[in-house]
Amino acid sequence: ALKEFLSVAGEIVEINVKRYKSTGQCKGYALAKFASEEAASNAIRTLAGGSFANRSIMVKPDAGFDPEQAEKRRKYREAKAAEGQQRKRVSLGHPKFWPRCPVERRVYVGNIKFGTSWQEVRDLMASAGHVEFGRIVKTPTTLQDGSVRHVSKGFAIVHYADAAAAKAAVETLNGTELNGRPLRIQHDVGRRRKEGDEQPLEEDMANLNVEGGPGH
């Protein structure tokens, strides 16, 4: 499935999904070798930040990064941070994983309508520049029937490849309509976001309870 997903950018010579030897579990990344430099560049340009297997993915040039060594360093930091004084970062491949990104390259996208997919948001935001990563932020919510669903909070965070693209997104896309709602687009200010932006809108919750479908 991954090879098919990447092949839209060009011919793939080899793909290697990295797994743990002891369990066979995927480590959350793969190395793909394209038939040409042009195909590899096309994959980075068009697929980065896209949606695969219901997750936002990163597509970057292989620069010799050694995830196994990075994992060892992560475990060492966690051991040194005994008693939980340092917040544990989830590992690559985890559904809640967020890569590090300088604040000047992060953009907040608010007022997203219920049912809007991350791919729709990504495609719009890519019109301002190269999107490296991002996702619609969700929260576990108890519905009227007692079931728990992960519901969109109504906003997404987008990571751009450079500050110029993030600036262009804020300046040119703020107020753009997506699925009938004008988006509120600004530079991401992290935990200083307004509390109202952190909760699903009443209209969206009503739709969820009626439709009984998961948040997108």
Side-chain angles (χ1 to χ4, degrees):
L2 179 59
K3 184 175 182 179
E4 181 179 355
F5 174 79
L6 294 174
S7 292
V8 300
E11 181 184 353
I12 293 180
V13 175
E14 179 183 1
I15 187 166
N16 184 7
V17 178
K18 297 297 183 178
R19 300 181 182 277
Y20 291 102
K21 294 181 179 179
S22 58
T23 64
Q25 183 179 4
C26 177
K27 292 183 177 181
Y29 75 99
L31 297 179
K33 182 178 180 181
F34 285 86
S36 66
E37 183 176 343
E38 181 182 1
S41 297
N42 189 38
I44 294 169
R45 183 177 65 257
T46 61
L47 300 178
S51 180
F52 174 74
N54 295 320
R55 293 187 184 180
S56 176
I57 64 170
M58 293 184 293
V59 182
K60 293 185 175 182
D62 178 23
F65 172 72
D66 187 346
E68 293 184 358
Q69 289 299 319
E71 182 71 5
K72 290 180 181 179
R73 290 194 295 268
R74 183 183 67 81
K75 290 181 178 180
Y76 174 78
R77 288 195 300 269
E78 288 177 1
K80 296 293 287 185
E83 315 243 337
Q85 294 182 358
Q86 176 179 332
R87 183 180 179 183
K88 181 179 177 181
R89 289 177 56 84
V90 295
S91 60
L92 186 68
H94 191 281
K96 293 185 178 180
F97 172 75
W98 282 95
R100 294 183 182 275
C101 180
V103 64
E104 63 271 15
R105 294 200 281 115
R106 297 199 312 262
V107 170
Y108 167 94
V109 183
N111 201 34
I112 298 173
K113 186 176 182 179
F114 171 79
T116 299
S117 69
W118 159 246
Q119 191 66 47
E120 289 178 290
V121 176
R122 186 263 183 196
D123 290 345
L124 173 65
M125 301 307 291
S127 65
H130 180 59
V131 174
E132 283 193 333
F133 191 80
R135 72 163 62 101
I136 294 176
V137 179
K138 299 180 180 180
T139 184
T141 302
T142 302
L143 306 183
Q144 292 177 351
D145 62 2
S147 63
V148 177
R149 300 283 177 82
H150 283 78
V151 181
S152 166
K153 287 187 174 184
F155 73 94
I157 304 300
V158 179
H159 293 183
Y160 280 99
D162 55 71
K167 184 173 184 290
V170 173
E171 293 178 348
T172 64
L173 297 179
N174 184 39
T176 300
E177 283 199 6
L178 181 62
N179 292 334
R181 278 192 188 170
L183 298 178
R184 184 168 62 258
I185 299 175
Q186 61 192 44
H187 289 288
D188 180 38
V189 292
R191 294 185 180 275
R192 297 197 302 276
R193 302 185 196 104
K194 293 182 179 179
E195 184 175 349
D197 292 336
E198 300 287 331
Q199 302 298 328
L201 299 179
E202 291 184 6
E203 174 190 345
D204 290 340
M205 287 305 300
N207 288 335
L208 183 65
N209 285 318
V210 170
E211 297 172 10
H216 297 283

